[in-house]
Every structure is written in structure tokens, then in C-alpha cells.
Amino acid sequence: MSSSSPSEHGKEGGASCPMDFILRMLMGPWTTYIVYNLRTFGPQRFGELKRRVSGISAKMLTERLRTLEGAGLVRRDYEPTIPPKVTYSLTRRGHELDEVLGKLAEVAIRWQAEDAAARTLKAAE
């Protein structure tokens, strides 16, 4: 008899990858771009973040921020001023991704450069 709960395995009847939750969340549309901007530029108000994440709709940004807040990665600070001031920032948990996302960015930049060089060589042939 197993003493583990479904949450330890992700699904009843079989173990899932322990990284499944975090990878699915980060693969959500715009998610890494939002986390990158909060990591790089620090706390930001909604409009500022929307300008930095060019191309995202207000509806999608709101949805992604709520998802990240629900996962404990983003903090929403509300000040009841007129108009209300809402600032978003990474939580301690959100900052736990700094090193991992930094390393992924290094690999992505290197691969992008390698692919561009390969296309240039191929075009020159």
C-alpha cells in the first residue's frame, strides 16, 4: 500500500515529472517575458509592464499576472490612492528562478547566434 498522495505524483495511478507544474506554468503565453521584465527592471506598475512586454494585450497581461500571483511568483501591491496604485514585483519564490532563467537566456543567445551564423554560411554557398 502506497502512502503517497495524488499531489506527490501529479496524477493518480502514476508518477509525473516533478518539474511538470513549473514548466507548464513558464511555457504559458508571455510568462517568461513577464518574469524577465520584472527580474530585469524590478517592481513595475501595470502600464509600464505592458509597454515593456510589447504586443501583449491588457487582458492577457492581467491573466498571466493573476496566474503568476496564484503560483506565488509575483506579488501585487495595492495602494488605495486616487487613482489606485498597483505595483507588481517578483516574490522570493519568483527570484528563485533568477539563476535558472539566466542560464536559459545564455543558452538561447548562444543558440541564436549559432543558428544565424549557420544561415549566413548556407546563404553564401
Side-chain angles (χ1 to χ4, degrees):
M1 172 156 78
S2 173
S3 63
S4 59
S5 68
S7 64
E8 290 177 85
H9 290 286
K11 297 178 189 143
E12 286 193 33
S16 66
C17 174
M19 294 183 290
D20 189 57
F21 164 76
I22 195 165
L23 290 175
R24 285 181 187 272
M25 182 186 42
L26 290 175
M27 286 188 305
W30 303 98
T31 303
T32 53
Y33 201 2
I34 293 165
V35 171
Y36 165 81
N37 274 280
L38 290 173
R39 177 178 169 249
T40 303
F41 301 106
Q44 297 168 62
R45 293 185 67 180
F46 185 89
E48 182 181 9
L49 188 56
K50 187 175 180 313
R51 281 189 295 281
R52 286 208 166 107
V53 182
S54 59
I56 194 170
S57 69
K59 180 182 176 186
M60 178 59 74
L61 180 56
T62 299
E63 179 186 308
R64 295 283 82 202
L65 286 168
R66 285 182 181 155
T67 298
L68 291 166
E69 185 181 4
L73 292 154
V74 167
R75 177 179 27 261
R76 180 182 185 270
D77 293 315
Y78 174 84
E79 293 180 38
T81 57
I82 299 174
K85 183 178 178 184
V86 179
T87 306
Y88 295 91
S89 59
L90 289 180
T91 62
R92 182 184 53 78
R93 188 178 201 188
H95 279 293
E96 287 184 49
L97 296 171
D98 286 354
E99 188 177 333
V100 172
L101 293 177
K103 189 64 177 171
L104 278 174
E106 286 175 26
V107 171
I109 291 166
R110 183 170 35 85
W111 285 10
Q112 192 175 39
E114 289 170 359
D115 291 351
R119 282 191 301 276
T120 301
L121 282 174
K122 189 170 185 170
E125 292 177 350

